[in-house]
Amino acid sequence: MRTGPGADSAPAPSSPAGKASDGIPPTTMFSSLKNRNYRLFAAGQVVSNTGTWMQRIAQDWLVLTLTGSASAVGITVALQFLPMLLFGLYGGVLADRLPKRPLLLATQAAMAITGLALAALTLSGEVQVWHVYVTAFALGLVTVIDNPARQTFVADMVGPDQLANAVSLNSANFQSARLVGPAVAGVLITAVGSGYAFLFNGLSFIAPIAALLLMRTSELHRSVRTPRGKGQLREGLRYVSAHPELIWPIVLVGFVGTFGFNFPIWLSAFVDDVYDSGASTYGLLNTLMAVGSLVGALLAARRGTSRLRLLVGAAVIFGILEVVAAFAPHFWIFAGLLVLIGMFGLTVNVTANSTVQMASDPAVRGRVMSLYMMVFVGGTPLGAPVFGWITDVYGPRIGFAAGGVLSFAGALLVGLMLARAGGLRLKVDMRRGHKHLDFVPRQTTREPGSPLEAEPSPETGARFVKAGPG
């Protein structure tokens, strides 16, 4: 592999959208697609992602059909994400240690096998709920390695200058597939059953495997690989703990992922219990969320930069919208609010993801991203069964509202901690014509010539204390 610009150093933050800085080409909404390897990657992923969304809808609906229980759907979701909680950090160690393209070829092939196995069981008429549990857990085990490898492989393809844009386009890719997958799955389930949705998903992995094989390895940026050694998990955790700009975004996505992203449980329960409808309506609601998510991803790609204030603000609004949607009096009001929930939820995810990647040293980026995904996705095994039980006992509206309240509270907590770490305080000014709420520098007293001074973080826009002159 050739050495790309900045391949051996931490990625520099991207320039603001539409502007060039220090010879870096201006960031446009689709600038990463100028890279041939990334175009291949994106094309393969959109096919595979469509199959993934079809399987998600079919899996949730199959479990609900077999059991009639939202708790069973929660258990399925929990089993799929439990391996990330248990083994996520080990996946990051492997992503830092092994060549990523061969690793991804292996994980994509393994994911195809899980989809085809579930298709065979369902189409044969022999499927039972424990079969779904086992395949969900097996898929989760593969994801432990695939997720950090795929996330960090983006930097190998596009380099540091386009990293934030490529992360946003990855999310846009995923959400574009979400526009098609749930709708097709809803029609397919109604017409011929869930088995064919699983079959399509298994076959869809041919596309990313072909894309990986067709890439020009000479055009990949050289990856910083970590040699095998002891204490690499602890090293990654120590690295994160020493960087507030990494800790608090990870904590925030942990709150949102655990409490606010239990949509398979809530939407299936709303469709079944509140609106007395079927799989096609469930697919429609997922598609509407995808519309909002796609808008959020494209707006993030256009920005080209990530700021913690945007992350916290989007998380606060996300929590509020969930509470409002939970008590929406009519179906179309509920459906319209899902579009906004999708947009702000995706903004939280993309902003946190790109902030963490851009602020991480390449040598530990796999471990940092595995911790990120372990907290974001791995919280689901904790939250899904609890919210499945709340939804069964107290109803979908209470379950949905409880997730929104906890997401909102987590966002406020992280916002205050970031302000504290950055030497800021919340200023309230209710005078007309003034900004009512704002974070301003905290008044501090220090001796002349003190070695501590506040310095703005270019990656986040927050201010952190730095020792030493300059």
Side-chain angles (χ1 to χ4, degrees), residues 84 88-89 91-92 148 365-375:
M84 184 65 72
L89 289 175
R365 190 177 292 144
R367 280 163 286 176
V368 173
M369 290 309 298
S370 70
L371 178 62
Y372 172 91
M373 294 307 301
M374 186 183 77
V375 171

Side-chain angles (χ1 to χ4, degrees), residues 40-302:
L40 285 169
F41 177 83
Q45 287 298 306
V46 77
V47 177
S48 176
N49 286 337
T50 300
T52 296
W53 277 111
M54 290 178 66
Q55 174 147 328
R56 283 191 181 187
I57 301 303
Q59 177 179 278
D60 297 342
W61 200 255
L62 176 62
V63 171
L64 195 63
T65 302
L66 290 172
T67 65
S69 168
S71 294
V73 178
I75 291 170
T76 307
V77 175
L79 285 170
Q80 185 164 331
F81 297 118
L82 180 62
M84 184 65 72
L85 179 64
L86 298 177
F87 312 116
L89 289 175
Y90 293 97
V93 170
L94 292 174
D96 281 337
R97 186 183 294 170
L98 300 175
K100 295 181 180 62
R101 195 172 71 105
L103 192 60
L104 287 171
L105 284 168
T107 58
Q108 296 292 296
M111 288 179 169
I113 292 171
T114 63
L116 293 173
L118 192 54
L121 287 166
T122 307
L123 291 172
S124 68
E126 300 297 324
V127 69
Q128 299 178 38
V129 69
W130 72 266
H131 293 144
V132 184
Y133 290 164
V134 169
T135 53
F137 186 75
L139 182 61
L141 286 173
V142 180
T143 304
V144 166
I145 301 172
D146 179 81
N147 231 316
R150 185 162 35 84
Q151 299 260 357
T152 55
F153 187 58
V154 174
D156 291 1
M157 288 184 287
V158 302
D161 299 335
Q162 294 293 337
L163 180 58
N165 178 259
V167 168
S168 299
L169 288 183
N170 280 352
S171 295
N173 185 319
F174 191 66
Q175 301 307 326
S176 297
R178 190 178 177 186
L179 288 173
V180 179
V184 175
V187 173
L188 204 59
I189 293 167
T190 303
V192 293
S194 300
Y196 287 97
F198 301 140
L199 179 62
F200 181 92
N201 179 53
L203 296 175
S204 72
F205 285 97
I206 295 172
I209 291 172
L212 288 165
L213 292 172
L214 290 170
M215 286 184 183
R216 295 172 183 162
T217 56
S218 62
E219 295 179 5
L220 293 171
H221 292 251
R222 190 175 67 197
S223 181
V224 178
R225 286 169 54 189
T226 302
R228 186 181 182 89
K230 293 183 178 180
Q232 290 178 337
L233 279 180
R234 291 191 299 274
E235 179 188 1
L237 292 173
R238 282 197 301 267
Y239 179 84
V240 172
S241 67
H243 294 79
E245 68 272 28
L246 295 177
I247 295 172
W248 294 112
I250 290 174
V251 170
L252 179 53
V253 298
F255 264 98
V256 173
T258 301
F259 304 121
F261 270 71
N262 293 288
F263 296 111
I265 298 167
W266 295 326
L267 296 188
S268 60
F270 263 84
V271 169
D272 194 39
D273 297 342
V274 178
Y275 301 119
D276 193 25
S277 191
S280 58
T281 302
Y282 183 51
L284 171 64
L285 293 179
N286 277 276
T287 299
L288 289 172
M289 277 198 70
V291 171
S293 299
L294 179 60
V295 171
L298 291 175
L299 289 174
R302 182 68 184 89

Side-chain angles (χ1 to χ4, degrees), residues 307-395:
R307 288 187 176 273
L308 290 178
R309 68 189 70 176
L310 173 64
L311 172 62
V312 173
V316 167
I317 297 173
F318 173 80
I320 293 171
L321 286 170
E322 287 199 332
V323 175
V324 174
F327 299 105
H330 302 293
F331 174 81
W332 288 111
I333 295 176
F334 178 77
L337 287 168
L338 287 181
V339 176
L340 295 176
I341 289 170
M343 184 173 73
F344 283 98
L346 199 283
T347 300
V348 171
N349 190 6
V350 168
T351 306
N353 189 309
S354 56
T355 297
V356 169
Q357 287 214 53
M358 291 170 67
S360 301
D361 189 288
V364 295
R365 190 177 292 144
R367 280 163 286 176
V368 173
M369 290 309 298
S370 70
L371 178 62
Y372 172 91
M373 294 307 301
M374 186 183 77
V375 171
F376 180 53
V377 177
T380 302
L382 304 177
V386 173
F387 282 99
W389 176 81
I390 292 172
T391 300
D392 275 342
V393 174
Y394 298 102

